[in-house]
Amino acid sequence: MTSADRTGRFSPLEWVGILAGLGALVVSFFPWQRVTGQFADMVEQIGFRTTSTAWSSGPVAWLAVLALLLAAALLLARAFGVRLPGVSVVWLLLAVTAVVLVIIRWVTLPELDPARLALLNLNPEDVVSNAGPGLFLCLAIAIVSMAAAVARIRTAGRPAARTAPVRPPAAAPAAERADQDRHPDR
């Protein structure tokens, strides 16, 4: 049982998951793919964009962001009194899914077609298409969220530390034990 269940506050690990979801939302508006080089300069002069965000990079990118947002929403649900079983495991699965999806997006970033570049009298080395900072930041956020979920699962099974009440020795007479219970500082 987490602290959110009893007091309405979240553990530090749960805060990491919540902030990871919010961070992924913010980073989703950063450039996830950039086109640089001579061609990019020409395109920028015309007024077109040479970057794309997660929302314009295809479903693989925005599904990664939504997975982290969903994990944050599940963690926040406890503050509103919604009791969901296995939230830590679902959080881990969503974070792993986000990591995998960001890596897939990174590996499958589209390359510029050399034939199309030749039509514009450009060489392939004049134009570079690469991953932007938003992709790398989202990958880092997803990995941190995944690590926090693993740590949360590992600590969930441990019993809470209890302080045992101080009891008088068993050999003490009953009257002495009763006096010690009433005046523990003696």
Side-chain angles (χ1 to χ4, degrees):
M1 191 172 261
T2 66
S3 59
D5 292 335
R6 288 180 253 129
T7 64
R9 288 187 257 161
F10 297 104
S11 73
L13 292 173
E14 291 168 333
W15 274 115
V16 169
I18 292 166
L19 293 175
L22 296 175
L25 179 63
V26 169
V27 168
S28 71
F29 296 104
F30 289 15
W32 277 49
Q33 180 181 9
R34 299 183 295 185
V35 176
T36 57
Q38 180 184 358
F39 176 71
D41 297 337
M42 290 175 15
V43 168
E44 282 181 349
Q45 288 174 356
I46 296 171
F48 291 108
R49 296 177 50 197
T50 58
T51 61
S52 63
T53 65
W55 305 107
S56 60
S57 291
V60 173
W62 53 261
L63 282 173
V65 173
L66 290 179
L68 291 172
L69 277 173
L70 180 59
L74 288 173
L75 291 169
L76 280 171
R78 291 182 183 178
F80 297 103
V82 179
R83 301 192 61 135
L84 300 169
V87 170
S88 297
V89 174
V90 174
W91 171 20
L92 176 62
L93 292 174
L94 288 169
V96 168
T97 300
V99 168
V100 170
L101 289 173
V102 172
I103 290 172
I104 289 172
R105 176 72 263 178
W106 186 9
V107 170
T108 61
L109 283 174
E111 292 294 322
L112 299 172
D113 184 19
R116 284 189 176 178
L117 293 175
L119 293 173
L120 298 169
N121 293 328
L122 294 170
N123 295 324
E125 52 275 352
D126 293 336
V127 182
V128 178
S129 174
N130 53 19
L135 186 138
F136 296 119
L137 288 171
C138 191
L139 180 60
I141 288 169
I143 290 171
V144 167
S145 181
M146 183 178 66
V150 168
R152 177 69 188 103
I153 290 170
R154 292 188 73 192
T155 60
R158 295 183 186 161
R162 293 184 181 175
T163 56
V166 178
R167 298 185 187 240
E176 188 179 347
R177 279 192 305 226
D179 185 48
Q180 197 172 27
D181 288 340
R182 278 185 245 129
H183 306 288
D185 54 335
R186 289 189 197 173

